[in-house]
Amino acid sequence: MVDALGSRQLAALLPDSAGRRPAYRHLAQAISELILDGRIALHVRLPAERDLAGALNTSRTTVTAVYDLLREGGYAHSRQGAGTWTALPEGRATSGVRRLLAAPEDSAIDLARAAPALPRDTLAAALTRVAPHLADHADTPGYHPYGLPELRAAVAERFTRRGLPTLPEQILVTAGAQHALTLVLGLLCRPGDRVLTENPSYPNALEAMRRARLRTVPVPVTDTGWDTEIIESAFRQAVPQLAYLVPDFHNPTGCLMPEEERGRVLRAAQRSGAWLVADETLAGLALDVPAPAPFASHAGPGATGQVITIGSMSKTHWAGLRVGWLRAPARLVTELAGQRVATDMGGSVLDQLLALDLLDRADELLANRLEQLGGRRAALAAALTEHLPRWSWQLPPGGLSLWVDLGEPIASALAERALEHGVRIESGACFATDPGVFEQRLRIPYTLPGDTLREAVCRLAAAYAGGLRPVAAARRPHWVA
C-alpha cells in the first residue's frame, strides 16, 4: 500500500485552526476524524513533524503535541526510527457477525440490499416471448462458456452505442458483475499482490480481494468525490497489479467521477502498468445528469488494452437473473473463459435469453425505472429531513442510495437497535477497506416503494431516539448488495 502521507497532502485535508485554542487539540481531533472517515488510510506514515509544521505554518512543538494526542487516543503509533503511523483505538476492531440472510418469515424492512425488483408483468411477458427461443436450444448441449453469441453481440452493441467501439469477441457473459470480478482477480492477481481500491467501496468486491489474499491500497472517496492527486500518487508509490474503481454513481457514496479526472486516472494506471477494472454496474442509473460514457472511452488511442469493464443486469433490471458481463481484449476474454470453465462451465441459457429480451427493450424499461427511482429518492430524502433532521447527506445524481452522515460514530449500535425495530441495515463500516471506519455513516437505498421507505425512516428515528453509545463495529457481513 502507499506507506506515506505527504505534508502538503495532509495540510490540505485539515481545517484552518487559526484562532482556535489550543490549536493542537483541534488538529488532533481533525486528523482522528479523517482516519475514522476513511479519508486517511490506516497503516500509513504521517509526515515528519518538521515538514508538517512548515506546511501548516505552525511550530514544531504544536505538531509534536498533535502526534502525542493521536498516540494517546490510539489513532497513531510510532516506530523507533520509522516515524509515526496511523492506527485505530482498541475497541474499534471488528467483532461478531451480522446475519444478512433473512429467514423466509422475517418481516423486517430490508435496507441492506440496494437492488430493485422487476415488475411481475414485465417478467411474465418476457418469459412468454423467450419460450420459443428456449425450445430452439433444447436440442443443443447448452454449454456456452463465453455466453450466448446473440447476447455477446447485444452487449457489444450497447458499448458501441455508448461511445466505445466493441466486438462480440471482447465480451464474456458472466453470472453477474461479482463473478466477472472474481474471474479477473483469479487470472491477473496472485496472493500478496497490491490492488488499488476506493475507500469506501462495494463490500462484496472487497471480500473477493480478501479471499484472494490481496493487499488493498485504499484511496478515499468523500462526499465531494475522488482526489485524483492521491490516486496518481498511489499508482506511483504502490505500483499495484490492478485497480478496482466504481466511477459511475459510486457505491456507496453516489459520486460521479468527472470526465477530466477519468483521463488522468487512466493515464496514471497506464504509466504504472496496472490493469484497471471499471465497475459500471450502476452507470445506467443516471437521474439528474446524462448517462456517462464508458470509462474506457476516455483512454487515449491504444490505451484500452489494460482496461476491463464489468457490468450486469442486477441494478438496472433484476438481480435474480444473475447475468453480467465483462469487456476486455479478446485474448484476455479467451483466457478468462478458460478460467470460468473450471468453476461453472457456462451460464443458464434461460437467464441469458431473458436478459437478451430485456436488453432489447432497455430504453423503455429503464425510463420507467429512472422515473420510479427519482420518486423514491425524493420520498426517502423528505422522510429523513422530517424525522431525522440532524443527519446530513449529499443528494447523488444517480445510483440507488444515500450515503448518510449521522454526525457521530454510532452506526453499528444503530444497526443493532434498528433490527429490533424491524429494519435491517448495515453500518458504513462494512464498506470500508479497514475495520472501524465509517462508523458515522449509513448507506440507505431508495429501491423500495415510497411508503415503505417512509415507514423505515420512522422506525430508524425511533431506534435513534433512545440514545446510543458507540460500540465496536460488527464484522463485515457475508454480502451486501
Side-chain angles (χ1 to χ4, degrees), residues 13-309:
L13 294 171
L14 294 173
D16 186 1
S17 61
R20 307 187 71 177
R21 297 289 182 269
Y24 70 92
R25 289 194 178 275
H26 293 291
L27 289 170
Q29 180 169 347
I31 293 173
S32 65
E33 289 175 354
L34 288 168
I35 293 171
L36 285 174
D37 200 31
R39 298 181 66 182
I40 297 177
L42 295 180
H43 317 303
V44 299
R45 188 172 66 248
L46 291 169
E49 293 175 2
R50 187 186 305 277
D51 294 341
L52 184 57
L56 293 174
N57 195 26
T58 189
S59 69
R60 183 173 178 178
T61 302
T62 297
V63 175
T64 299
V66 169
Y67 283 8
D68 284 344
L69 277 182
L70 290 174
R71 284 188 289 267
E72 289 174 13
Y75 291 96
H77 64 88
S78 296
R79 304 176 191 170
Q80 184 66 34
T84 302
W85 298 70
T86 58
L88 275 178
E90 297 247 347
R92 290 196 180 274
T94 57
S95 61
V97 176
R98 182 185 308 281
R99 181 175 175 81
L100 274 185
L101 303 178
E105 66 275 10
D106 193 338
S107 60
I109 298 174
D110 191 354
L111 296 180
R113 286 171 273 194
L118 184 67
R120 292 187 180 187
D121 56 348
T122 300
L123 179 58
L127 283 167
T128 300
R129 288 190 297 267
V130 305
H133 301 290
L134 180 61
D136 292 339
H137 283 268
D139 295 329
T140 72
Y143 292 125
H144 297 277
Y146 290 90
L148 287 180
E150 53 267 46
L151 181 55
R152 297 177 75 196
V155 173
E157 175 59 24
R158 281 169 57 85
F159 275 109
T160 300
R161 288 201 313 269
R162 292 175 58 213
L164 182 61
T166 303
L167 298 172
E169 291 77 13
Q170 295 174 277
I171 300 298
L172 177 69
V173 178
T174 62
Q178 182 71 12
H179 181 213
L181 176 62
T182 303
L183 288 173
V184 169
L185 295 178
L187 181 67
L188 298 181
C189 299
R190 295 293 177 266
D193 281 350
R194 293 170 175 167
V195 176
L196 185 148
T197 187
E198 298 142 329
N199 191 28
S201 187
Y202 181 48
N204 295 333
L206 296 175
E207 183 62 24
M209 296 170 197
R210 294 185 194 102
R211 289 175 180 265
R213 292 183 291 163
L214 304 175
R215 293 185 291 169
T216 55
V217 180
V219 294
V221 181
T222 68
D223 289 330
T224 57
W226 294 258
D227 188 321
T228 311
E229 289 188 3
I230 290 179
I231 295 176
E232 290 171 330
S233 175
F235 275 117
R236 284 195 307 270
Q237 294 186 43
V239 194
Q241 170 68 11
L242 181 143
Y244 169 79
L245 302 176
V246 186
D248 305 308
F249 316 120
H250 174 262
N251 188 2
T253 68
C255 293
L256 178 65
M257 185 180 287
E259 289 190 10
E260 60 273 16
E261 292 186 15
R262 296 173 181 235
R264 289 179 60 183
V265 171
L266 283 163
R267 288 189 292 274
Q270 186 181 16
R271 286 193 296 268
S272 74
W275 288 91
L276 195 151
V277 178
D279 187 338
E280 295 187 348
T281 305
L282 295 161
L285 299 175
L287 299 178
D288 302 328
V289 294
F295 192 83
S297 67
H298 297 274
T304 60
Q306 292 280 102
V307 182
I308 300 168
T309 304

